[in-house]
Amino acid sequence: MAESVENPPFKVQKGEALHRQITNHFRSLIASGKLPAGSKLSRMHDLAAQWDTNYFTVHTALTRLVREGLLERKPRLGTFVRKQNKRLGSVGIYYGDEILIKHERAFYRSLHGQLLNSLQKENISAKVFIDSRPQALQVEPLAELLESINSHSIHGLIVPLIGYPKEEWLGKMPLPTSFFSSVRSDYSRICIDTNQIMTMACKALSDRGCRTVGLIYPTPLTEKGWGKNENDTIPNALETQLKAFNLRTQKSWIRTPKTHQESQEQFGYQEFHRLWSLKERPDGLIVYPENVSHGVVIAALERQVKVPSELKLVLHKNQHVEFLCPLPADWIITREKDIADALIQQIKDRFAGLEPQYYEIHHEFLKGSSRDLISKFALANNLEA
């Protein structure tokens, strides 16, 4: 069994959380070779005493390195520097059963194709895990995934779709991991640039002469109120850009649900009907994401809304997902390749022992009209990366 190594001391700096300083200290020691593979770290209680802190601070600091695949914990033996593969040759791609049954499936099928294409160009093989267990059992790690990790047949893990409660155990996997989410969190460091989306949308509506704006968005707002919390990123960004472009809104024009929506298309359909039933209505409307836009388009056609004379639309579309829309609208385009490349780059960073970075996914804007509907979608499917 490996002997515990003496950890070179470091000077605690003011202004940065101690657990981050400890994380960076050990990451540097591993990267420099001062802590070679197989080295056993001192007991966490001893490390806590060395830096005049508590066990939980040290545990938090080292857990981050376990998640990055630099350290591994062996029950009853201790914490060791993990042997690193010389080359990132294989990754796992994990999906819960949401990929099979939920409204996101068209987008995630498209994203999966982009992931496979990008991995192939990097000469990295992929092993796909689809968690088809009953929801009640998905609170525990998938045995097939654990087996692949323990046998070192995969060197990293990509999770394009993460949700509770799976994030609890997926975030603790002992190898380099990357996650994508609409919201930045401790688990996901790849998220959409909501401020850019709302900037482009508000500018487009302002340029078209709008003075009032509504929003249809399928994520519930938290109890503390609109635009004040991390989960409210789209409404929060809209609130900022309304001021920048001298636009106004009303709470009744911000159509968000009270609970999670299983069908985003149905939500968009119902909320547009409710919005258009109001006595006072906006002259511009932003709809996000694409599945909600599907329902809005159907409802607007049923209502025989005159677009764009009565209402200007800014809709969202994923680049490689088909969307038949006979109404003239401007478009916010998400490029699945950008997300795939960010997921892979984060794995490569962590595999190389680098501190994980945050990645914001930027979007393209397409100005549309009824005359160039066909050419517009041809362009949307061939945007340059």
Side-chain angles (χ1 to χ4, degrees):
M1 183 173 62
E3 296 293 332
S4 297
V5 297
E6 183 177 349
N7 303 301
F10 74 99
K11 185 177 181 181
V12 177
Q13 302 294 324
K14 293 182 179 180
E16 183 179 10
L18 180 56
H19 69 86
R20 291 196 183 94
Q21 294 185 53
I22 295 172
T23 298
N24 293 333
H25 172 64
F26 278 105
R27 184 187 288 113
S28 176
L29 292 176
I30 294 169
S32 66
K34 293 179 180 178
L35 281 181
S39 299
K40 181 181 177 182
L41 273 59
S42 300
R43 294 172 62 251
M44 280 187 276
H45 287 290
D46 295 336
L47 292 173
Q50 179 179 338
W51 291 310
D52 193 24
T53 186
N54 57 67
Y55 169 90
F56 298 103
T57 296
V58 177
H59 184 272
T60 298
L62 299 186
T63 296
R64 182 178 292 272
L65 296 176
V66 171
R67 292 176 182 171
E68 294 176 21
L70 296 179
L71 297 177
E72 59 181 333
R73 289 184 172 126
K74 298 181 180 181
R76 297 183 298 276
L77 294 179
T79 303
F80 297 80
V81 177
R82 188 185 182 99
K83 182 179 179 181
Q84 300 297 307
N85 295 288
K86 294 182 179 179
R87 177 183 169 276
L88 179 61
S90 176
V91 299
I93 305 176
Y94 171 90
Y95 297 100
D97 59 358
E98 298 95 338
I99 195 67
L100 302 174
I101 62 177
K102 293 184 72 175
H103 47 72
E104 298 101 335
R105 59 184 179 269
F107 165 69
Y108 284 102
R109 280 200 301 266
S110 178
L111 175 58
H112 183 70
Q114 292 296 319
L115 274 170
L116 295 181
N117 288 338
S118 295
L119 287 169
Q120 185 177 27
K121 291 179 181 178
E122 298 271 358
N123 198 25
I124 300 172
S125 64
K127 184 175 182 179
V128 180
F129 302 88
I130 297 181
D131 197 338
S132 58
R133 296 175 297 171
Q135 285 287 332
L137 299 180
Q138 292 188 23
V139 298
E140 298 292 337
L142 181 66
E144 182 184 358
L145 175 60
L146 283 179
E147 182 181 346
S148 294
I149 293 172
N150 293 332
S151 65
H152 304 287
S153 62
I154 60 173
H155 309 145
L157 180 64
I158 294 174
V159 185
L161 175 62
I162 186 171
Y164 182 84
K166 291 183 287 296
E167 66 180 17
E168 293 295 322
W169 60 264
L170 281 167
K172 299 175 182 178
M173 292 293 96
L175 80 172
T177 55
S178 63
F179 305 91
F180 171 65
S181 172
S182 60
V183 178
R184 180 180 299 185
S185 70
D186 288 339
Y187 294 108
S188 175
R189 289 173 173 256
I190 302 171
C191 59
I192 60 174
D193 187 343
T194 54
N195 188 61
Q196 186 216 17
I197 291 173
M198 290 297 104
T199 298
M200 292 191 296
C202 288
K203 182 180 186 306
L205 293 176
S206 177
D207 289 347
R208 288 187 178 274
C210 293
R211 292 294 174 264
T212 56
V213 176
L215 170 71
I216 300 182
Y217 176 63
T219 300
L221 302 181
T222 57
E223 294 179 357
K224 295 181 180 180
W226 170 43
K228 304 299 182 185
N229 303 282
E230 186 180 25
N231 287 337
D232 304 346
T233 51
I234 287 284
N236 199 9
L238 173 62
E239 185 179 31
T240 299
Q241 295 309 319
L242 289 175
K243 298 175 183 177
F245 290 96
N246 197 27
L247 299 168
R248 67 179 181 87
T249 192
Q250 297 181 11
K251 283 193 174 182
S252 61
W253 298 343
I254 306 298
R255 312 301 300 185
T256 58
K258 293 182 179 180
T259 59
H260 174 74
Q261 299 297 298
E262 288 295 330
S263 173
Q264 291 186 355
E265 184 173 310
Q266 183 178 11
F267 172 77
Y269 174 84
Q270 293 173 339
E271 291 305 315
F272 184 86
H273 276 294
R274 290 168 180 154
L275 175 66
W276 212 248
S277 297
L278 298 174
K279 290 183 178 180
E280 187 178 3
R281 303 182 293 244
D283 54 12
L285 180 64
I286 303 168
V287 186
Y288 186 93
E290 179 181 289
N291 296 292
V292 181
S293 298
H294 292 166
V296 167
V297 168
I298 295 171
L301 289 169
E302 282 188 354
R303 286 274 185 165
Q304 298 182 346
V305 178
K306 297 177 182 177
V307 179
S309 59
E310 283 187 299
L311 179 69
K312 280 78 174 176
L313 290 173
V314 177
L315 306 178
H316 173 255
K317 181 188 184 304
N318 296 301
Q319 181 182 352
H320 293 289
V321 177
E322 293 183 359
F323 189 158
L324 178 60
C325 176
L327 296 176
D330 292 328
W331 298 88
I332 303 297
I333 306 294
T334 299
R335 299 183 297 189
E336 297 93 325
K337 184 178 184 300
D338 291 347
I339 300 173
D341 289 346
L343 284 164
I344 294 169
Q345 186 60 51
Q346 189 169 93
I347 287 285
K348 291 169 64 178
D349 289 348
R350 290 184 165 183
F351 185 82
L354 302 177
E355 183 176 4
Q357 301 297 313
Y358 282 109
Y359 295 90
E360 287 190 320
I361 303 301
H362 300 293
H363 297 70
E364 293 284 343
F365 176 78
L366 286 177
K367 185 176 181 180
S369 69
S370 57
R371 294 190 307 274
D372 64 0
L373 181 67
I374 296 176
S375 63
K376 174 176 62 184
F377 282 103
L379 177 59
N381 284 322
N382 292 281
L383 286 171
E384 294 296 331

